[in-house]
Amino acid sequence: ITYRQFFLQKLNDLRSHGVFKIEKKNYMIIGELLNYILDELSKINPNEDHYSAKSVIILSQTFYIQEEGNSKKKYLQELIQGHPLLKEKQFWDKFVNISIASEILDSQKIDLKYNGHKMEELKKYNNIVFAQLVPIADNMLEFGVTVDTIKEIIQPVIDYYSISKENAEMIYGLLEGKKKQIEEDKIKKENEGK
């Protein structure tokens, strides 16, 4: 286990105990550390340490500060979303594929344990792949990856795993809806600043 994995595991322990709100001082320190971890992941193949990459994304969307007189939550994601690694198509492409492969492997282990045989058909993994693509596509959008780039990343996965047309359309519909929401929020924020 690396130091970064140990640190992320400790943060994950806080998350599992329902601690999400942090002090501003800690918010800034943790934000710096998450950026440092992303820097380190940039030096290696970040998907060689998928645990750290996945943890940084999840934890940045978990912990927040709430400034006095403001009911809005400010998540750690704001401190890392500009990181160059999170803008790279290659990073997200590998992230999607490793996440799906990991879930399928877990499913196979459960299937072997309870059913005594291995599932062979890719179509049986349709729900697993769908369940992975929806939140990952949402994460990519939250981190500023364009809808076109997201489609370039997930379309080969949809084709490879024979995702049903309905599920594919649902993913793309959710993406377009989220994109519209982000654009509306951005305009609203700009108007509030005037």
Side-chain angles (χ1 to χ4, degrees):
I1 186 166
T2 64
Y3 288 120
R4 68 176 166 261
Q5 290 170 337
F6 180 77
F7 169 72
L8 292 168
Q9 183 56 54
K10 291 303 171 189
L11 278 179
N12 215 11
D13 291 347
L14 286 174
R15 182 176 79 95
S16 65
H17 286 95
V19 176
F20 308 127
K21 186 177 177 182
I22 56 178
E23 293 178 26
K24 187 168 185 169
K25 177 182 165 187
N26 294 334
Y27 174 84
M28 299 308 290
I29 292 169
I30 294 169
E32 283 182 42
L33 290 170
L34 293 181
N35 274 298
Y36 176 76
I37 290 170
L38 290 171
D39 289 343
E40 291 301 304
L41 292 176
S42 297
K43 294 175 187 173
I44 62 168
N45 178 342
N47 294 296
E48 287 175 18
D49 187 359
H50 182 70
Y51 172 81
S52 292
K54 186 175 182 178
S55 294
V56 166
I57 291 167
I58 291 169
L59 295 170
S60 75
Q61 296 173 325
T62 301
F63 293 102
Y64 66 90
I65 56 170
Q66 207 161 8
E67 295 174 345
E68 284 186 46
N70 189 351
S71 62
K72 207 167 190 183
K73 297 174 182 176
K74 190 173 178 182
Y75 287 89
L76 282 169
Q77 178 182 337
E78 290 186 32
L79 298 180
I80 67 164
Q81 66 187 15
H83 196 281
L85 182 63
L86 298 174
K87 305 295 183 195
E88 289 180 14
K89 181 180 181 279
Q90 183 180 8
F91 168 80
W92 288 107
D93 193 33
K94 288 180 180 180
F95 188 86
V96 166
N97 286 297
I98 290 172
S99 295
I100 289 169
S102 176
E103 284 299 313
I104 288 174
L105 187 61
D106 289 347
S107 174
Q108 287 174 334
K109 288 176 186 173
I110 291 169
D111 197 43
L112 281 169
K113 184 176 179 181
Y114 293 107
N115 298 329
H117 67 283
K118 188 176 179 181
M119 292 192 292
E120 297 289 327
E121 297 178 51
L122 289 175
K123 288 184 181 179
K124 291 186 179 182
Y125 299 121
N126 193 311
N127 290 337
I128 292 171
V129 175
F130 176 76
Q132 287 295 302
L133 285 179
V134 170
I136 293 172
D138 185 65
N139 284 339
M140 285 189 270
L141 201 55
E142 287 282 336
F143 282 101
V145 179
T146 66
V147 171
D148 290 339
T149 302
I150 295 170
K151 287 179 180 178
E152 285 176 28
I153 292 168
I154 66 174
Q155 188 59 53
V157 175
I158 287 170
D159 294 341
Y160 181 81
Y161 288 100
S162 305
I163 301 298
S164 69
K165 185 179 178 185
E166 295 80 20
N167 281 351
E169 287 173 358
M170 191 179 302
I171 292 168
Y172 289 136
L174 290 169
L175 266 177
E176 292 298 334
K178 182 73 174 195
K179 176 186 171 188
K180 186 176 178 183
Q181 178 191 349
I182 289 171
E183 288 169 353
E184 288 171 359
D185 289 347
K186 186 178 177 182
I187 291 169
K188 185 178 175 185
K189 197 173 187 178
E190 286 171 0
N191 289 337
E192 287 174 359
K194 290 180 180 178

